[in-house]
Amino acid sequence: MFDVACLGILVADVVARTVDKLPEKGKLQAIEGLSMHIGGCASNACVNLTKIGLKAAILGNVGDDGFGEFLINSLKKENVNTDGLKIKPGVNTSASVVLVSESGERSFLHCIGSNAALTYDDVNFDIIKNSKVLFVAGTNLMPNFDGEPCSRVLKKARELGVYTALDTAWDTTGRWMEIVEPCLPYLDLFIPSYDEARMIAGKDDPEEIADVFLSKGVKLAVIKLGKDGCFIKNKEGEKYRVPTYTDVKAVDTTGAGDSFAAGFIAGLVEGWDLLMCGKFANAVGTHCVMEIGATTGIKSKEEILEFMKKYE
């Protein structure tokens, strides 16, 4: 039995730091460091969940190449179950070059690769039915899975008695609500970032954004507000605006949203109330930005709770 099955995008991240500008054409520019990490919303969340102390499985696609081999081996080393991964021959594994600035902000050069090949038929429902939570991570970056195919997976998961959650990525096609709306009636938790949520809902105020999602069938809406924490509201009207931890300097914000989502879902699995889930999620996201890479800084549940006691 798994606590969480994470379905969605896997990416091999090549992180370049520090990059505040690109070199001129034909010129070389020295940087502080270059390293390879597990990336992608689903794989980030899976690794974070196992580090916190939960049992997690990953579902998705990789290519039959060096990046794919790196991701599979790295996930196994992090105690993530990889039985739900499919290797797609002749397809490049999704990969990104992550350019990290002096302030910790990041920009991406991304090859969508194997994530574009994910379809409904690739989904391993045996793993889903043996999980407490299905977390779909990376919506808007899976063109053959987003929208109606994803909604069918969520609907079937619900029928299997599995708690459903979904997070988004930036939609370069500009379709936003068109992609997400079929999924909303089948979501127990919708947990997008503020920038993505406002584009989907067409509103600017976090509570008004949450109300749009709740009106379309979502049971619990959580809006990630970055350095301002999060906003939480459920269909019963219970709501919180939870500030985050501001005494910690951000080194690298890569994966902060995925870390937050993992923290919130971990809190739900633990049976905590919504306010505690929000505080814990903020703390997990804070741990992420304290180190280079999307998962490097994540600690155990006990260590994060100690951090919360110290900084609150």
Side-chain angles (χ1 to χ4, degrees):
M1 185 75 181
F2 301 106
D3 293 304
V4 185
C6 296
L7 166 62
I9 67 169
L10 299 91
V11 182
D13 280 342
V14 180
V15 179
R17 185 177 186 273
T18 304
V19 181
D20 285 312
K21 64 177 182 178
L22 294 176
E24 297 178 12
K25 290 183 179 179
K27 301 293 179 66
L28 181 145
Q29 179 175 309
I31 59 174
E32 182 181 332
L34 192 66
S35 55
M36 188 180 295
H37 302 269
I38 296 171
C41 305
S43 43
N44 289 344
C46 248
V47 172
N48 293 336
L49 286 161
T50 59
K51 287 190 169 188
I52 290 168
L54 277 65
K55 292 183 66 176
I58 184 82
L59 298 91
N61 288 342
V62 296
D64 187 14
D65 56 19
F67 281 148
E69 184 178 354
F70 165 78
L71 286 173
I72 292 171
N73 291 337
S74 298
L75 287 164
K76 287 179 178 178
K77 287 179 182 177
E78 296 289 355
N79 298 314
V80 172
N81 182 284
T82 61
D83 292 345
L85 285 184
K86 288 200 170 182
I87 299 173
K88 294 286 186 176
V91 177
N92 291 328
T93 298
S94 177
S96 292
V97 177
V98 185
L99 307 176
V100 184
S101 71
E102 182 67 34
S103 66
E105 287 299 320
R106 74 273 194 235
S107 303
F108 298 86
L109 301 173
H110 181 67
C111 171
I112 193 169
S114 52
N115 292 324
L118 182 68
T119 68
Y120 178 91
D121 293 332
D122 291 321
V123 178
N124 187 325
F125 283 99
D126 288 335
I127 291 176
I128 292 174
K129 73 180 181 182
N130 285 305
S131 303
K132 298 174 185 176
V133 178
L134 169 63
F135 178 39
V136 178
T139 294
N140 295 330
L141 292 177
M142 300 174 286
N144 287 301
F145 181 76
D146 291 331
E148 189 274 335
C150 181
S151 73
R152 283 193 285 138
V153 171
L154 293 166
K155 182 175 184 290
K156 187 168 181 177
R158 273 270 191 88
E159 292 168 351
L160 292 169
V162 177
Y163 186 98
T164 58
L166 184 142
D167 193 2
T168 55
W170 189 260
D171 177 21
T172 58
T173 69
R175 292 182 293 161
W176 296 109
M177 182 61 86
E178 178 187 343
I179 292 176
V180 172
E181 190 166 21
C183 302
L184 299 181
Y186 307 110
L187 285 178
D188 294 299
L189 168 65
F190 187 34
I191 191 167
S193 71
Y194 173 75
D195 288 339
E196 291 151 11
R198 64 186 289 273
M199 296 299 291
I200 298 167
K203 304 285 185 181
D204 292 323
D205 178 74
E207 184 167 5
E208 291 181 359
I209 292 171
D211 286 341
V212 170
F213 301 145
L214 295 169
S215 72
K216 292 182 178 293
V218 172
K219 291 186 178 180
L220 173 62
V222 178
I223 313 300
K224 295 176 287 188
L225 302 175
K227 61 182 178 59
D228 295 319
C230 64
F231 179 80
I232 302 167
K233 189 173 183 179
N234 66 12
K235 65 176 184 177
E236 290 78 25
E238 183 181 357
K239 60 183 179 180
Y240 304 96
R241 185 156 187 156
V242 189
T244 192
Y245 302 87
T246 56
D247 294 335
V248 177
K249 181 182 177 181
V251 175
D252 176 12
T253 58
T254 304
D258 303 327
S259 301
F260 177 95
F264 199 94
I265 292 169
L268 293 174
V269 171
E270 293 289 339
W272 297 338
D273 61 43
L274 294 182
L275 180 57
M276 180 60 181
C277 288
K279 290 181 177 180
F280 187 77
N282 281 338
V284 177
T286 299
H287 275 75
C288 177
V289 304
M290 291 163 64
E291 301 284 349
I292 297 173
T295 62
T296 311
I298 307 306
K299 308 296 183 185
S300 69
K301 178 182 72 174
E302 292 74 21
E303 289 173 294
I304 294 171
L305 290 173
E306 282 299 316
F307 168 90
M308 292 167 65
K309 290 178 184 178
K310 176 180 178 182
Y311 282 93
E312 283 191 12

